[in-house]
Every structure is written in C-alpha cells, then in structure tokens.
Amino acid sequence: MEQPHDLTVEAPRAWDRPAVSVPVLVCLSLVGGRFASFSTEANLFTLGTGGVLIWLGLSNRVPRRPAPRRLGAGAAWWAVPVVVFGVFEGVTFVLAAGDDFPTFSRLADPLLEDQLTRSAAWFAWLAAFWGLVRR
C-alpha cells in the first residue's frame, strides 16, 4: 500500500527570499571579482563558497523546490555539445596544447581582466549554483 505524500508547504526562510539571497550573492560576487584570475585567493574563495553551497544543498537547511518529473527526449541532445566541450577542454588541458588549441579558460582570460566582468561571471556562477542547491 502506498503512503500519501506530505503536501505541507514550509514558509520560506530569510535566505530563500530574493530580497535577501540576491544581495548576498551580489556581495559574494563583488568580493570574488576583486581577486585575480586563478590566483591562490580566488581559488580558495571559489572552494570556500562552493563548499558552503554544497553543504547547504546536502543539508535540509534550504527549502527544496520540486524537481521536474522527467526530462523530455529532446533534452538528451543537449548532452552532446556538453560532452564534446568537456572532452575538448580536458584533452587540450592535459596535452597543454598552448595557443594552437587553447582551452576555454585561456580564451576567457582577456574578458575576465576587468573586475566588473569578473564579478558578473561570479554572480552568474553563484546564481546557477544557488538554483541547483534549491533543487
């Protein structure tokens, strides 16, 4: 016999409200944007913020949004460019191909020289990660 699902909805906590979470993510991205690309400070900040977000995702401190039941058949086609990109990045990184076949991070370095652009990239990364944490 199947148990009925609990349909109670928990009131959102303070950090789940956009009025709280967005300014926190903006402040974190402004701090992260101040570090030079691939510096020790930037790597430690990335590991620290990522670790906290992973911890929040694995704990029950953040209210969950329901995950989609099933992805459509067309969603599998999105995996093809992601896998090709990942393989290309990995091979060029391992072989240290240099300027002949640069990795995406080498191509993005000139764009990330500006602190504002780096902060915007940080915000996009944190917002995407926060969305994953809430699933």
Side-chain angles (χ1 to χ4, degrees):
M1 187 173 245
E2 191 173 315
Q3 296 290 334
H5 296 298
D6 185 18
L7 299 177
T8 59
V9 177
E10 184 179 324
R13 295 183 179 145
W15 60 75
D16 194 39
R17 296 187 180 120
V20 174
S21 61
V22 171
V24 168
L25 294 179
V26 166
C27 288
L28 287 173
S29 65
L30 289 174
V31 170
R34 294 186 50 88
F35 301 127
S37 292
F38 302 108
S39 66
T40 303
E41 296 87 3
N43 290 337
L44 291 174
F45 191 71
T46 302
L47 290 173
T49 53
V52 168
L53 288 173
I54 288 171
W55 174 72
L56 284 173
L58 294 175
S59 69
N60 287 329
R61 297 182 184 275
V62 178
R64 306 267 186 236
R65 289 186 177 176
R69 295 259 185 238
R70 185 168 182 242
L71 293 175
W77 285 105
W78 283 99
V80 173
V82 170
V83 168
V84 168
F85 177 75
V87 167
F88 184 75
E89 277 287 299
V91 168
T92 54
F93 179 74
V94 168
L95 295 178
D99 293 331
D100 295 334
F101 295 102
T103 61
F104 182 71
S105 57
R106 274 188 85 143
L107 293 173
D109 271 346
L111 298 173
L112 297 176
E113 288 295 322
D114 183 41
Q115 286 185 356
L116 185 61
T117 308
R118 239 187 346 260
S119 293
W122 260 97
F123 182 76
W125 178 75
L126 287 171
F129 210 160
W130 181 246
L132 289 174
V133 163
R134 295 187 62 214
R135 289 282 177 187

